[in-house]
């Protein structure tokens, strides 16, 4: 399906100059948010207890806070509306060393006078487990980026590899900034969203890079800027169709999935836009910025083909007994 003229070449690299400025602003804002106010770690990472209650009528949040603060063990508990006025999410910094139901039973007994309710969820994570999950989550993100760097560097050329990884870091940082801006707890759902975003974004970038590589072979006499513009123009319909489809799917999750899945849907919603944008304007522009040389690249390809043919010739001679 083609939304744009097939033979028309758009000057993306000219627009990319403005894109770099916009990305710089978004990155600076995101990095500032990292330091102030910073991430709010969820129970998965910080440890503690989460209890979700559903009342038969509007939840009396002020009364719930008052009841919890009356017990020294629960003092400072976070109480917030969760998806609807009847549902409440309680975050406690304490855990139990025995069975999980002990805190649940204490909460049920303590809040019984506030009205009729049902405990829909009670999760407990110890601080040691939370630290392990935090370390492994961050390690997963770093290892994913390193693996992509190695793969793209092997398949294409080191400038393409660095450009693709920098574009991915750009996407992850901006998506993480949105998490802080919308006051979403950093937990395993968010890490899963960021890993999914890395896969989505690199897929877009690899398709663009594949087309650039094909165009280099067919347009060896053209400038790198023209080749990148032609490759981006050729893949534009595919990029737009994929981006719009993913965007509306994730938007549906964000609007109708409820609070329970917002940690996954919001980063993906932001990432679906930023990831496609970076594949077109950031990654390709960085390839030019790093000084990719078409002539040297073609010489490298020709040398590799020459070695391949030489190996094939020697193998045939060996099979025929001439070596």
């Amino acid at each position: 399906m083609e939304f744009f003229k097939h033979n028309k070449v758009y000057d993306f690299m000219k627009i990319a100059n403005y894109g770099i400025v916009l990305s710089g602003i978004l990155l600076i804002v995101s990095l500032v948010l990292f330091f102030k106010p910073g991430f709010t770690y969820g129970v998965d990472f910080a440890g503690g207890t989460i209890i979700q209650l559903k009342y038969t009528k509007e939840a009396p949040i002020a009364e719930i806070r008052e009841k919890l603060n009356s017990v020294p063990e629960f003092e400072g508990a976070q109480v917030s509306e969760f998806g609807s006025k009847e549902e409440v999410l309680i975050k406690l910094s304490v855990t139990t060393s025995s069975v999980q139901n002990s805190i649940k039973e204490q909460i049920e007994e303590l809040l019984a006078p506030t009205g009729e309710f049902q405990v829909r969820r009670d999760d407990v994570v110890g601080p040691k487990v939370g630290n392990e999950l935090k370390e492994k989550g961050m390690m997963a993100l770093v290892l994913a980026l390193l693996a992509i760097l190695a793969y793209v560097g092997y398949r294409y050329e080191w400038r393409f590899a660095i450009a693709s990884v920098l574009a991915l870091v750009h996407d992850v940082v901006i998506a993480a900034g949105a998490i802080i801006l919308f006051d979403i707890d950093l937990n395993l759902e968010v890490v899963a969203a960021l890993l999914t975003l890395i896969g989505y974004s690199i897929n877009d970038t690899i398709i663009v890079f594949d087309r650039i590589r094909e165009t280099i072979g067919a347009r060896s006499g053209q400038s790198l800027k023209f080749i990148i513009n032609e490759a981006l123009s050729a893949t534009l319909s595919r990029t737009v169709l994929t981006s719009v489809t993913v965007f509306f799917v994730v938007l549906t999750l964000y609007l109708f999935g409820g609070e329970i899945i917002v940690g996954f849907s919001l980063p993906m919603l932001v990432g679906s836009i930023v990831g496609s944008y970076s594949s077109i304007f950031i990654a390709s522009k960085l390839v030019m910025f790093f000084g990719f040389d078409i002539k040297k690249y073609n010489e490298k390809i020709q040398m590799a083909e020459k070695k391949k043919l030489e190996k094939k010739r020697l193998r045939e001679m060996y099979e025929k007994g001439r070596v």
Side-chain angles (χ1 to χ4, degrees), residues 30 45 60 97 152 192 280 300:
S30 297
F45 293 158
S97 57
V152 180
I280 296 174
K300 183 180 177 181

Side-chain angles (χ1 to χ4, degrees), residues 5 55 71 216 251 293 318:
K5 293 181 179 179
Y55 281 78
V71 179
I216 286 174
L251 181 62
D293 192 310
Y318 176 79

Side-chain angles (χ1 to χ4, degrees), residues 104 140 154 166 251 260 292-293 296:
K104 173 186 173 184
Y154 171 77
L166 288 177
L251 181 62
I260 195 70
F292 178 75
D293 192 310
K296 289 182 179 179

Side-chain angles (χ1 to χ4, degrees), residues 45 136-138 140-141 186-196 263:
F45 293 158
K136 290 179 179 178
M138 296 303 107
L141 289 171
L186 181 62
N187 50 32
L188 291 177
E189 294 172 7
V190 172
V191 174
L194 295 179
L195 287 170
T196 305

Side-chain angles (χ1 to χ4, degrees), residues 56-104:
T56 55
K57 57 181 181 178
E58 185 175 340
I61 293 179
E63 187 179 354
I64 294 171
R65 285 200 186 101
E66 184 181 347
K67 290 286 185 183
L68 291 172
N69 288 327
S70 66
V71 179
E73 186 182 4
F74 300 146
E75 194 172 355
Q78 297 180 28
V79 183
S80 58
E81 186 179 294
F82 190 74
S84 67
K85 293 184 178 181
E86 292 78 26
E87 293 197 51
V88 172
L89 194 69
I90 302 172
K91 298 179 184 179
L92 306 169
S93 59
V94 297
T95 59
T96 55
S97 57
S98 54
V99 292
Q100 180 176 331
N101 287 335
S102 59
I103 278 191
K104 173 186 173 184

Side-chain angles (χ1 to χ4, degrees), residues 25 28 30 78 86 147-148 212 246 267 288 294 296 314 317:
I25 295 171
I28 291 171
S30 297
Q78 297 180 28
E86 292 78 26
I148 289 169
I212 290 174
V246 172
M288 291 184 62
I294 296 177
K296 289 182 179 179
L314 291 173
M317 291 176 66

Side-chain angles (χ1 to χ4, degrees), residues 2 4-14 207-239 279-280 284 288 294:
E2 295 290 339
F4 303 93
K5 293 181 179 179
H6 182 70
N7 296 323
K8 185 171 181 178
V9 177
Y10 300 93
D11 193 355
F12 288 101
M13 291 302 95
K14 183 178 180 180
I207 288 173
V208 171
F209 283 177
D210 262 340
R211 194 61 185 234
I212 290 174
R213 185 172 60 177
E214 293 172 3
T215 309
I216 286 174
R219 302 280 193 276
S220 56
Q222 295 287 352
S223 67
L224 179 60
K225 180 180 177 181
F226 178 85
I227 287 173
I228 291 177
N229 283 331
E230 184 174 358
L232 290 171
S233 299
T235 57
L236 185 58
S237 293
R238 179 262 168 209
T239 301
S279 297
I280 296 174
S284 302
M288 291 184 62
I294 296 177

Side-chain angles (χ1 to χ4, degrees), residues 239-282:
T239 301
V240 170
L241 183 62
T242 303
S243 301
V244 170
T245 303
V246 172
F247 175 80
F248 281 113
V249 169
V250 180
L251 181 62
T252 303
L253 286 176
Y254 178 70
L255 294 176
F256 304 107
E259 294 289 333
I260 195 70
I261 201 175
V262 72
F264 180 85
S265 59
L266 180 69
M268 280 301 299
L269 187 63
V270 175
S272 64
I273 300 170
V274 178
S276 299
Y277 151 82
S278 68
S279 297
I280 296 174
F281 297 110
I282 305 301

